Amino acid sequence: GTAPGILLPVLEIVHRRDPDARVLVLPADHHVGSEDVLRGALRAAAEAVQRPEAPVVLLGMLGEDGDHEYGWILPATRPSSGLRPVVSFVEKPDSEASRALAAAGALVNSFIFAARGRTLVQLYEDALPEMLRAFVPVVLAGNREASLRELYDQIPVGDFSRGVLERSASALGVLAVPQCGWSDLGTPARLRRFLGQRRFN
């Protein structure tokens, strides 16, 4: 799952490379039509997490009404060009709830975000302490392959959005990304829909 998938490299960075590092998470299964627009948002997110007390900065996209395949981020204020606090994060709500969130000004979670490494570790400490305690000694021991295999055999599947972000709204901020042709291609249905749209455009 995505919870251990993010935790392992973050601990590697914080404990073995740079305790003050800033981290940028970019999924590999997305399409972006205008890379310049997204690049500008990424720069803004990276700048926003320079301070030690900075929140985790999520990049939010405009979603389709009723889209229940994504997480939704409800900012404290209506759309603006700056970083806004997050009131709530709801992972994959049903269609009715996602319509209500969209009407309230919520944005789709792109799963692209910036944070200080230590901030992410603290979120795991608060939300998934058992997972954090299981990983730290393995990382400190040098990420030996056998130890990692044994650890992954023991830990439960964990979803970062549901297990960490939903429980940490007060530690989040969101930047609204202008339309940039973003598509998450992470499921067969989304990929088919994307390819169909491109065929007729």
Side-chain angles (χ1 to χ4, degrees), residues 50-116:
Q50 287 186 15
R51 297 173 292 106
E53 68 277 12
V56 174
V57 177
L58 310 175
L59 295 191
M61 305 290 180
L62 294 176
E64 296 179 10
D65 188 29
D67 194 336
H68 59 279
E69 295 181 348
Y70 298 107
W72 285 80
I73 309 159
L74 183 61
T77 58
R78 284 284 185 168
S80 68
S81 59
L83 179 64
R84 292 175 285 162
V86 171
V87 173
S88 65
F89 182 101
V90 184
E91 177 64 5
K92 295 182 176 65
D94 61 32
S95 295
E96 183 178 349
S98 62
R99 280 193 291 270
L101 285 162
L107 300 163
V108 164
N109 176 36
S110 66
F111 211 79
I112 300 171
F113 61 91
R116 298 188 72 85

Side-chain angles (χ1 to χ4, degrees), residues 117-182:
R118 285 178 170 173
T119 302
L120 287 172
V121 173
Q122 184 60 54
L123 292 193
Y124 277 89
E125 177 66 43
D126 296 339
L128 297 175
E130 299 86 1
M131 183 177 289
L132 178 63
R133 284 195 290 270
F135 268 88
V136 167
V138 175
V139 171
L140 291 179
N143 265 349
R144 292 192 303 270
E145 184 176 346
S147 298
L148 278 175
R149 286 183 183 277
E150 183 179 350
L151 174 60
Y152 272 84
D153 285 342
Q154 295 172 355
I155 60 173
V157 173
D159 182 80
F160 180 76
S161 294
R162 196 174 301 282
V164 178
L165 296 182
E166 272 196 335
R167 302 176 184 181
S168 309
S170 64
L172 308 177
V174 62
L175 285 171
V177 180
Q179 289 283 8
C180 63
W182 171 84

